[in-house]
Amino acid sequence: MSENTNNNTTTSAVASVKPYYQRWRLLKDKLARYGIAFGGLAVIVALVLIFLYLVYVVYPLFLSAHADAVAEYALPEAGQGKTLLLAMEEQNEVAVRFSDQGRAIFFRVKNGETLSAEPVGIPGGVAITSFAQGQPAKGVVAYGLADGRALIVRHRYRVTYPGDVRLITPYLEYPLGKTPLVVDEAGSALQHLAVQVDEDQATLVAKTSDKRLLLTRFSREESLFGDEPELEVTHMTIRRTEEDTDFMLLDKEQRMLYLASRNGELRYVDVSGSEPGRFKEKLVDVLPVGTEVSSMVFLNGDLSLLIGDSSGLVSQWTLVRDAQNRFTMQRIRVFKVSGHKILAIRSEQRRKGFLTVDAAGVVGIYHTTAERMLIEKRVGSSRPVAVALSPRANAFVVLDSADKMHYWRVENEHPEVSLQSIWGEVWYESYPRPAYIWQSSSASNDFEPKFSLTPLLFGTLKAAFYAMLVAIPLAIMGAIYTAYFMAPRMRLLVKPSIEIMEALPTVILGFLAGLWLAPFVEENLASIFAMLLVIPVGVMVFAFCWQQLPKRIQYFFPEGWDAALLIPVVMLSGWLAFFISPGLEELFFQGDLRLWFQREWGIGYDQRNALVGGLAMGFAVIPTIFSITEDAIFSVPRHLTVGSLALGATPWQTMIRVVLLTASPGIFSAVMIGFGRAVGETMIVLMATGNTPVMDLSIFQGMRTQSANIAVEMPESEVDSTHYRILFLAALVLFLFTFVFNTLAELIRQRLRNKYSSL
Amino acid sequence: MIREWFKSGSPWIWLNAAAVSTSLILVFGLLAMIAVRGLGHFWPAAVVELAYQEQNGQQQTIIGEISDTEAMSAQRARDAGYQFSDAGDTLLQYLIKTGNRDLTGMDFRWVLAKNILQQDYPREIMVVERREWGNFYGYLAAVKEQGKVVASGPQAWPEAQQRLERVLRIVEQIEDLEKKQIGAINYDLEKLRLKKKRLQLEEQWNSDTEQQLAMEKKAYEKQYAELQTELVDLYSQINRDSLLAKAAGGRELEIPLTKVVRIYQPNAMTLLDKIAHYLGKGWEFLSTDPREANTEGGVFPAIFGTVMMVLIMSVIVTPFGVIAAVYLREYAKQGFVTRLIRIAVNNLAGVPSIVYGVFGLGFFVYILGGNIDHLFFPEALPSPTFGTPGLLWASITLALLTLPVVIVSTEEGLSRIPKSIREGSLALGATKLETLWRTVLPMASPAMMTGLILAVARAAGEVAPLMLVGVVKLAPTLPVDGNFPFLHLDRKFMHLGFHIYDVGFQSPNVEAARPLVYATSLLLVAVIIGLNLAAISIRNRLREKYRSLEN
């Protein structure tokens, strides 16, 4: 027993030392196991994160827009007249209502609380006969009066931060003075009015009750002396009008005047000149018989008109240059809004979208470029009377005939994007026909962004195609020779040399292609094409002669070193091509191949073109294809080839019938990987291909690829804008494209490897 | 006979051989071209003096280096509008680098060989490398001090060199003052400003702190004033001397020595002089800052930036890449999932680098960087600290880009280690970690090394993603300097590859900058090929080692 205890104590003494260390070791082992598993998985997750993040950025593009009712309240100051115009300010806090009693009623958007109700300053006793709105972003409106005068008023908002809280104070401003301006010197009532005001010029166009169309222009002349700028007034009579005029719009350049009647006759007049005699007028019919124009506004930018009619259609019309270089009005698209009459259209102020209200009280939000209906909501049950869309297009208010205001909020971040606008042909404003165009940004809000990825995809594929045209023959033929016919010692030298090409920074290839190769090719175009012919022929001739030489000399050169032998031959034939090409050009192409192409085929020549890009990128892709193909051919089991040779096939027959056939999946995957690399290459195409997003298959024209486009535009695009997200979409497309291609190639290769091992 | 020959298939074999030859010619031709043009740039070319008859009959002198020769066919020359009366069938033209951009408005001009009346290489022709307006070619007439001639004729040359040495010394002092000392003070003042804003934000801004900061500021301003007087003094010294030079055609020009970097007489140089000049220029290229919108001078900041970025990237990519590889090979259960992961990792290496750039910009710069700014640098807002492209984000982006390379290479190394070694270690009672740490990883270290080298080579040559995440054409300061915390990860940096793109394509004077771009390309290619060769040789040695182990 005691012995037993003794024994126990010794073991426990040992154990008390040992387990401590052992436990520590095991603990360390366990910790490392978890640590490494965690680290390893984290790294893999990080790589997956790239994909997820790209999707996360792109995803909002495809979210649908929505609108929600926020508040409903009675019309503020209903007693002060009927509403002529509703408008909101930027922050959606304050709105204004211009009434037919000449009052501007500012109220809070969220509850209708009146902030101020000022008279705009119409002299007493004079009746208001017309009303017009200028560019919505400027907040200019004009009242036309019965005595031939008009008053121009601007609603503006002052933003201050007393105690760090935003306070918006609305006020009225009179850009041309507080006294009404004389439009008709004869003094008849202004029945219709159009107005535009900018910094140094303002124009009013009016139709009087006695059917004259008048134009009055106010120019601000900066006088040399004195600070007070002077207004110079010009009155002109455009003509007499016998026809009806129900809508009148003047564009913000104060250049084009559009007159429309309810029955669908649209006239447009260039009023930019200073003599009435020069006004030329054109007429188009914009509607089928039986419908009536019910509203007409400019789309943002004032380049196209939106015309709503009684049958519930909204059509977009724009001035387009035709083949004779004359402007004609063209309908570029139609939206079917509903079966009811369109009561009002409001354009967004920063994008090419618009809002409609129809007689059934349905509000719709549309985007013209994307040809998309984004929102369709019924607002209230009564017939709408007036509507205002906020400058940021994220809210609107509707007034209905029951004098009720409806305030809605809109979430509509990326209306520009639709399948059609990204991949399809789109008819842009001022373009003669639908086209695929990428033109993403410009300084002004009026610009219609053109986000067609098709020309970029086209450019990408074109660049890759020409690169493959260069790379595939050289790489695969080279690989065949290196793997099967070359002496092992030479192979040891050649393989790494070609593989080192892969490591060459593409920026260097691009630089050489852009600055050295492009001018070189331009100068020696004929020689480059001649080389295609001369080098193979030269090699063949040399080979034939070589094999006719006595065996003694042939054996002097070890077998399998033919490629080394051919280096001077290829160089000589290349030189020969340069030597003979001026003569050939003289003989067949009137001295200059480039000019000949231009003259005979109408093919233009860009210095940085697909040929140059293809040569440089082909160079970059050769090692990828070469190396994989070579591996595939080299690892074809020996007994297959030996068997074939033993049966009497020549080496070449063995190569074609046995080796290539067996290795073909490997070669295919090599080509796919090479293609993936060509598609994603950035620097070479950026530097060597001119970067113009045109869709032209010609080898002498440049292009722009997705990757180059990202590199050029990404740093300048605003975070989270549609442009930014579309660039991410392009990156995602590239990612998926190469990933899928590479995965397929990898799977093919693995199957091939299994096949070899089973053989 | 020929038909038989074709039937045997051997012409096709020859044709395949020709494909290999062509590829080899392309590779070595390209490398040779870069090498020749890059290395040739620093050699002092002879300067020629031409008596030249213009197309309109006027005669004039042209001084410059012949930098290109072109022969144009008679037909094309006629099409291009050259009058071409003689019977020759080619038109020989020289591109002359005439320099003197301040006088003539251009650096280069073409001359027709047939209109050259006389061609000389006078020994006295002088080339002046200037800090602005490019090179000057002409004769030295006199040396002036404070506007008075102190030496002319044959004494002028040694005098000019002596005085230039003095000026260059002063320039060095001024640069030291402006960049290092005044730069440091400005940096500290900026830090004070931020400190003040921070205190205000945290509502600890009171009279105490205000006083303290004001005192600190005063101290700095005093220091600043001292340096400023020193600087003014140096500037008055430096402006003393100038050269009176005579350009081609007899126009005289006064060149202040402050604007001069180097003067030499290439036609009078001996071979030894030329070699010395060559080495001097080469060293200048490697060690100095660029001048004149990057078209002259050195590329030191670009080298420095590239090295810094690659170093930081290596620090990040090595542990993560190795851990991921060890997990995949040693810990994960081999099966469908690991196969899938392996394929995915492999393919990520093929994803276009620009995609990584986009990810880096969106995720690292805007999301991570933006949040870091809000949390840690609120005082600097709205100007971003980490929320803008910079060294750190560029390094991380490239680490992500090269991660697959390291993983694949390390895994390959691990898979080559014979199982017997692992089993031996485990049988002796070692835990898995100990086996890994003591035997497997050391044996796989060459493979890791290979992976890292390949990663570094790839990162050094990659430009597209860097354009989005932190590279700039001209960084005012290096990412490492004497101001605490010494390494500024938030700074933008220059990069050799981007330098090539920028100077070659976006510089105002591409023609003049071209030799420099070749030199930069040569440098980059040399570094990358060197790294690759190192990787290849390590890999080969590794294979040998395991072959002997297996036996």
Side-chain angles (χ1 to χ4, degrees):
Chain A
M1 188 69 193
S2 73
E3 196 188 277
N4 208 357
T5 18
N6 200 13
N7 204 0
N8 258 354
T9 44
T10 42
T11 44
S12 69
V14 170
S16 66
V17 183
K18 207 174 161 197
Y20 184 71
Y21 176 61
Q22 290 296 10
R23 234 183 294 149
W24 171 231
R25 276 178 69 205
L26 289 177
L27 185 71
K28 262 205 307 195
D29 190 46
K30 205 173 232 176
L31 279 179
R33 178 186 300 271
Y34 290 128
I36 288 176
F38 175 77
L41 286 174
V43 167
I44 288 150
V45 166
L47 291 175
V48 176
L49 186 72
I50 298 177
F51 174 73
L52 291 181
Y53 179 71
L54 292 181
V55 172
Y56 163 79
V57 175
V58 170
Y59 173 67
L61 282 181
F62 302 102
L63 284 178
S64 52
H66 50 91
D68 305 293
V70 179
E72 259 185 43
Y73 43 83
L75 174 68
E77 311 295 325
Q80 302 207 5
K82 280 193 187 148
T83 308
L84 292 173
L85 179 77
L86 271 180
M88 286 166 92
E89 56 74 48
E90 184 108 353
Q91 309 293 344
N92 303 338
E93 283 189 17
V94 181
V96 64
R97 166 170 103 82
F98 285 95
S99 79
D100 61 356
Q101 292 177 6
R103 283 176 174 271
I105 298 130
F106 289 101
F107 59 97
R108 233 177 248 303
V109 173
K110 61 171 190 263
N111 52 16
E113 172 201 339
T114 309
L115 293 171
S116 70
E118 315 174 31
V120 295
I122 288 162
V126 184
I128 296 170
T129 50
S130 56
F131 180 81
Q133 187 189 13
Q135 229 185 308
K138 292 214 159 111
V140 171
V141 298
Y143 279 94
L145 306 179
D147 60 358
R149 292 190 296 169
L151 180 68
I152 298 179
V153 187
R154 217 169 147 187
H155 56 105
R156 304 205 65 182
Y157 306 87
R158 195 179 293 118
V159 184
T160 48
Y161 292 88
D164 275 351
V165 182
R166 187 173 61 211
L167 179 71
I168 296 177
T169 328
Y171 64 99
L172 289 179
E173 192 186 77
Y174 297 87
L176 294 171
K178 227 174 159 169
T179 45
L181 306 152
V182 178
V183 176
D184 182 17
E185 287 163 309
S188 39
L190 307 179
Q191 263 188 346
H192 285 282
L193 198 61
V195 63
Q196 283 299 347
V197 175
D198 64 24
E199 271 65 50
D200 38 51
Q201 185 171 290
T203 306
L204 275 167
V205 178
K207 189 186 168 190
T208 58
S209 52
D210 54 354
K211 299 196 170 166
R212 279 173 305 137
L213 198 56
L214 303 176
L215 179 139
T216 309
R217 183 161 287 151
F218 306 88
S219 319
R220 211 180 286 274
E221 296 280 315
E222 288 291 338
S223 59
L224 277 174
F225 316 98
D227 316 306
E228 200 54 17
E230 282 171 23
L231 278 185
E232 189 184 306
V233 187
T234 334
H235 290 284
M236 277 178 269
T237 308
I238 295 175
R239 61 178 168 85
R240 286 195 59 80
T241 55
E242 293 308 328
E243 74 279 352
D244 292 337
T245 306
D246 299 295
F247 303 94
M248 196 151 82
L249 288 176
L250 180 66
D251 73 356
K252 61 172 184 165
E253 308 294 331
Q254 305 173 23
R255 189 183 178 86
M256 262 314 164
L257 177 71
Y258 299 88
L259 307 162
S261 65
R262 278 199 193 287
N263 57 18
E265 282 177 352
L266 174 70
R267 291 176 165 77
Y268 49 101
V269 191
D270 185 345
V271 295
S272 59
S274 52
E275 290 162 57
R278 280 190 48 232
F279 298 139
K280 275 193 195 133
E281 188 170 305
K282 278 183 195 139
L283 172 75
V284 271
D285 255 325
V286 293
L287 285 185
V289 187
T291 48
E292 275 193 346
V293 175
S294 56
S295 78
M296 178 168 105
V297 295
F298 280 122
L299 188 63
N300 172 31
D302 294 9
L303 287 172
S304 43
L305 290 173
L306 296 170
I307 298 175
D309 67 23
S310 57
S311 66
L313 295 178
V314 174
S315 49
Q316 185 187 356
W317 292 76
T318 185
L319 280 178
V320 164
R321 259 181 228 274
D322 64 7
Q324 279 83 43
N325 210 7
R326 286 179 316 218
F327 279 108
T328 52
M329 207 67 187
Q330 281 275 1
R331 188 177 73 180
I332 59 179
R333 60 179 66 85
V334 182
F335 295 89
K336 173 80 189 160
V337 171
S338 65
H340 303 278
K341 182 175 168 186
I342 307 289
L343 289 182
I345 307 176
R346 289 281 174 270
S347 301
E348 290 186 17
Q349 290 175 21
R350 315 223 163 132
R351 300 184 299 212
K352 300 283 178 183
F354 64 92
L355 172 147
T356 61
V357 256
D358 69 6
V362 175
V363 169
I365 294 182
Y366 296 81
H367 194 270
T368 55
T369 318
E371 297 198 15
R372 237 178 118 185
M373 201 255 320
L374 296 142
I375 283 168
E376 194 174 30
K377 290 272 179 184
R378 178 176 288 274
V379 176
S381 49
S382 316
R383 185 185 162 95
V385 174
V387 58
L389 182 63
S390 89
R392 289 183 182 169
N394 52 6
F396 62 83
V397 282
V398 175
L399 168 66
D400 66 21
S401 55
D403 274 356
K404 210 163 197 188
M405 301 282 285
H406 305 267
Y407 169 39
W408 286 59
R409 223 181 259 290
V410 180
E411 204 156 305
N412 182 17
E413 284 302 314
H414 304 291
E416 300 94 334
V417 178
S418 67
L419 212 57
Q420 176 70 16
S421 72
I422 288 193
W423 297 110
E425 266 186 319
V426 178
W427 198 338
Y428 298 104
E429 284 182 312
S430 310
Y431 276 68
R433 66 189 70 82
Y436 298 105
I437 293 171
W438 171 272
Q439 201 177 54
S440 57
S441 54
S442 142
S444 84
N445 272 336
D446 304 341
F447 176 75
E448 185 175 26
K450 300 168 183 70
F451 287 132
S452 176
L453 287 179
T454 313
L456 303 181
L457 189 68
F458 178 88
T460 309
L461 293 179
K462 180 181 166 188
F465 171 76
Y466 284 114
M468 297 313 271
L469 217 56
V470 173
I472 288 180
L474 276 179
I476 292 184
M477 286 165 69
I480 288 173
Y481 186 81
T482 311
Y484 197 68
F485 299 105
M486 192 179 274
R489 274 194 45 214
M490 187 175 177
R491 184 171 172 266
L492 271 184
L493 290 177
V494 167
K495 223 187 150 192
S497 314
I498 293 186
E499 279 170 351
I500 230 154
M501 280 163 82
E502 194 162 16
L504 275 183
T506 52
V507 67
I508 290 178
L509 295 179
F511 150 69
L512 287 174
L515 288 187
W516 175 76
L517 189 64
F520 182 80
V521 168
E522 190 182 19
E523 278 301 303
N524 303 295
L525 191 62
S527 319
I528 301 285
F529 284 119
M531 269 163 75
L532 283 182
L533 207 70
V534 174
I535 291 183
V537 172
V539 168
M540 294 268 207
V541 169
F542 171 80
F544 186 72
C545 298
W546 177 259
Q547 294 198 326
Q548 302 311 309
L549 284 178
K551 293 281 179 221
R552 205 160 42 82
I553 301 179
Q554 278 188 38
Y555 289 146
F556 183 69
F557 214 81
E559 203 182 337
W561 283 77
D562 312 332
L565 192 66
L566 279 176
I567 288 179
V569 177
V570 171
M571 283 164 93
L572 264 178
S573 353
W575 174 80
L576 187 70
F578 275 84
F579 184 73
I580 61 165
S581 70
L584 289 179
E585 263 186 299
E586 202 78 46
L587 219 58
F588 299 109
F589 305 110
Q590 300 157 7
D592 195 328
L593 185 60
R594 244 186 317 136
L595 291 178
W596 184 80
F597 270 121
Q598 178 76 54
R599 258 195 309 257
E600 301 288 316
W601 300 90
I603 298 174
Y605 190 91
D606 271 353
Q607 196 196 43
R608 291 183 184 160
N609 55 36
L611 177 64
V612 174
L615 284 172
M617 207 146 76
F619 185 89
V621 178
I622 285 175
T624 314
I625 303 182
F626 174 87
S627 159
I628 300 172
T629 309
E630 210 264 358
D631 279 344
I633 294 178
F634 193 72
S635 48
V636 169
R638 211 81 192 135
H639 56 260
L640 287 182
T641 56
V642 176
S644 162
L645 290 171
L647 289 172
T650 63
W652 180 247
Q653 281 170 332
T654 310
M655 181 77 233
I656 292 292
R657 305 266 167 84
V658 180
V659 179
L660 272 192
L661 216 62
T662 329
S664 58
I667 298 175
F668 180 68
S669 84
V671 169
M672 274 171 58
I673 290 177
F675 191 70
R677 182 156 181 211
V679 162
E681 177 46 51
T682 310
M683 291 318 285
I684 294 179
V685 282
L686 186 63
M687 295 158 97
T689 61
N691 274 320
T692 35
V694 290
M695 296 206 2
D696 187 338
L697 260 179
S698 161
I699 192 168
F700 300 130
Q701 292 291 321
M703 64 263 175
R704 179 184 271 201
T705 67
Q706 305 253 32
S707 51
N709 185 57
I710 295 171
V712 169
E713 296 191 355
M714 195 80 201
E716 284 144 33
S717 85
E718 184 196 336
V719 181
D720 289 350
S721 64
T722 305
H723 181 210
Y724 179 81
R725 292 191 198 279
I726 287 183
L727 289 178
F728 266 78
L729 177 67
L732 183 66
V733 168
L734 270 183
F735 180 94
L736 286 179
F737 195 86
T738 46
F739 199 85
V740 167
F741 255 69
N742 288 347
T743 307
L744 276 179
E746 187 63 35
L747 289 176
I748 291 172
R749 271 170 74 192
Q750 288 205 348
R751 277 188 61 182
L752 187 70
R753 224 171 282 147
N754 292 341
K755 200 169 95 185
Y756 283 163
S757 57
S758 69
L759 272 173
Chain B
M1 191 168 71
I2 286 187
R3 179 181 287 177
E4 223 164 77
W5 184 58
F6 268 94
K7 223 173 156 187
S8 75
S10 74
W12 311 125
I13 298 178
W14 280 93
L15 217 52
N16 284 340
V20 177
S21 318
T22 313
S23 306
L24 289 176
I25 291 172
L26 286 178
V27 182
F28 289 106
L30 184 95
L31 294 181
M33 186 169 83
I34 297 174
V36 167
R37 299 207 176 195
L39 289 173
H41 170 46
F42 307 121
W43 191 255
V47 179
V48 68
E49 185 176 49
L50 302 174
Y52 186 71
Q53 185 163 23
E54 296 281 351
Q55 291 284 37
N56 57 17
Q58 212 177 18
Q59 244 196 54
Q60 65 164 340
T61 338
I62 297 173
I63 297 180
E65 296 169 13
I66 296 181
S67 66
D68 200 3
T69 311
E70 192 186 274
M72 199 190 260
S73 74
Q75 175 68 36
R76 200 174 283 175
R78 257 183 231 113
D79 286 347
Y82 288 103
Q83 282 146 23
F84 208 74
S85 52
D86 27 358
D89 51 15
T90 51
L91 180 71
L92 197 61
Q93 282 184 305
Y94 298 120
L95 181 66
I96 311 269
K97 182 176 180 189
T98 56
N100 304 7
R101 198 169 355 130
D102 43 345
L103 298 178
T104 56
M106 54 189 181
D107 278 307
F108 289 86
R109 64 162 298 179
W110 285 98
V111 298
L112 298 176
K114 68 184 177 67
N115 289 355
I116 295 174
L117 305 174
Q118 207 191 343
Q119 190 167 348
D120 279 318
Y121 292 91
R123 294 174 60 84
E124 296 78 31
I125 286 187
M126 162 186 76
V127 181
V128 184
E129 277 180 29
R130 297 181 290 182
R131 289 182 205 278
E132 42 196 56
W133 299 110
N135 281 2
F136 172 86
Y137 296 90
Y139 295 95
L140 181 63
V143 179
K144 286 182 170 179
E145 181 180 320
Q146 308 283 23
K148 282 191 215 83
V149 175
V150 290
S152 62
Q155 292 92 38
W157 181 250
E159 187 70 33
Q161 278 184 315
Q162 228 173 38
R163 284 172 189 256
L164 180 61
E165 245 170 66
R166 170 182 163 272
V167 167
L168 289 180
R169 260 202 314 275
I170 302 179
V171 166
E172 217 168 89
Q173 285 172 9
I174 289 181
E175 269 178 10
D176 178 68
L177 269 181
E178 282 186 339
K179 280 214 168 143
K180 293 226 179 92
Q181 306 192 22
I182 296 187
I185 291 178
N186 283 335
Y187 182 81
D188 289 333
L189 281 173
E190 173 67 15
K191 267 189 19 195
L192 270 187
R193 187 184 73 81
L194 290 180
K195 197 170 165 190
K196 178 178 163 187
K197 260 189 97 177
R198 175 157 210 131
L199 287 173
Q200 281 171 343
L201 277 179
E202 288 168 359
E203 303 193 341
Q204 290 174 356
W205 182 244
N206 49 35
S207 55
D208 278 1
T209 48
E210 189 174 353
Q211 216 164 23
Q212 199 188 336
L213 285 191
M215 260 168 58
E216 279 181 51
K217 196 171 172 188
K218 212 170 219 168
Y220 283 129
E221 272 165 358
K222 196 170 151 233
Q223 254 181 325
Y224 184 83
E226 279 167 20
L227 291 176
Q228 196 64 37
T229 48
E230 209 174 316
L231 208 59
V232 167
D233 181 45
L234 283 176
Y235 269 114
S236 69
Q237 283 182 41
I238 203 176
N239 284 329
R240 191 187 68 180
D241 300 332
S242 63
L243 301 178
L244 190 69
K246 217 168 72 188
R251 265 181 80 176
E252 288 201 339
L253 179 73
E254 195 170 322
I255 308 171
L257 271 182
T258 13
K259 300 276 178 253
V260 176
V261 181
R262 177 185 278 120
I263 51 174
Y264 59 101
Q265 293 179 318
N267 298 346
M269 279 170 143
T270 62
L271 183 67
L272 223 57
D273 288 340
K274 285 190 180 178
I275 291 173
H277 176 92
Y278 183 82
L279 295 178
K281 286 277 285 182
W283 176 244
E284 182 198 321
F285 175 69
L286 294 178
S287 66
T288 63
D289 288 353
R291 300 193 307 265
E292 297 206 44
N294 292 357
T295 61
E296 297 274 343
V299 291
F300 177 70
I303 299 176
F304 192 86
T306 312
V307 169
M308 258 344 271
M309 183 204 70
V310 162
L311 278 182
I312 297 172
M313 181 212 78
S314 309
V315 168
I316 299 167
V317 77
T318 318
F320 283 109
V322 168
I323 284 178
V326 166
Y327 170 74
L328 275 181
R329 179 59 57 183
E330 306 283 329
Y331 284 93
K333 217 171 103 190
Q334 303 299 312
F336 179 71
V337 177
T338 43
R339 233 184 90 198
L340 207 70
I341 292 177
R342 233 163 249 146
I343 291 180
V345 167
N346 239 330
N347 291 349
L348 279 170
V351 166
S353 55
I354 189 79
V355 174
Y356 287 92
V358 168
F359 174 74
L361 181 71
F363 186 73
F364 294 134
V365 176
Y366 290 143
I367 293 194
L368 275 186
N371 284 322
I372 288 177
D373 277 1
H374 276 286
L375 288 177
F376 301 109
F377 304 99
E379 70 272 17
L381 287 174
S383 70
T385 313
F386 276 100
T388 175
L391 180 60
L392 179 65
W393 304 133
S395 306
I396 295 184
T397 304
L398 283 195
L400 207 58
L401 175 81
T402 50
L403 202 52
V405 180
V406 177
I407 295 179
V408 168
S409 173
T410 309
E411 252 211 282
E412 201 192 306
L414 290 174
S415 71
R416 274 175 188 280
I417 294 172
K419 219 173 176 170
S420 54
I421 288 184
R422 261 170 269 207
E423 283 164 354
S425 167
L426 290 172
L428 287 172
T431 61
K432 193 164 185 179
L433 175 69
E434 285 158 351
T435 307
L436 201 66
W437 191 248
R438 300 274 164 81
T439 51
V440 176
L441 284 186
M443 283 177 75
S445 61
M448 295 175 207
M449 204 56 204
T450 316
L452 181 62
I453 292 174
L454 288 178
V456 166
R458 171 127 196 237
E462 204 56 77
V463 178
L466 292 181
M467 287 163 72
L468 303 184
V469 290
V471 153
V472 284
K473 55 165 69 185
L474 195 64
T477 43
L478 294 177
V480 173
D481 62 16
N483 305 321
F484 184 80
F486 310 119
L487 174 62
H488 304 273
L489 288 174
D490 55 323
R491 282 193 188 158
K492 295 185 168 52
F493 64 104
M494 289 171 76
H495 180 268
L496 279 175
F498 183 73
H499 197 73
I500 293 172
Y501 169 65
D502 174 58
V503 179
F505 285 80
Q506 303 186 320
S507 103
N509 197 352
V510 173
E511 190 66 37
R514 197 176 294 193
L516 199 82
V517 186
Y518 278 108
T520 316
S521 302
L522 178 65
L523 185 66
L524 188 58
V525 167
V527 168
I528 285 171
I529 289 190
L531 283 171
N532 270 285
L533 289 180
I536 289 175
S537 83
I538 288 180
R539 193 165 51 194
N540 288 347
R541 225 166 345 135
L542 191 71
R543 283 189 185 152
E544 291 305 311
K545 196 170 146 193
Y546 293 129
R547 208 161 285 153
S548 61
L549 262 180
E550 275 159 23
N551 293 334

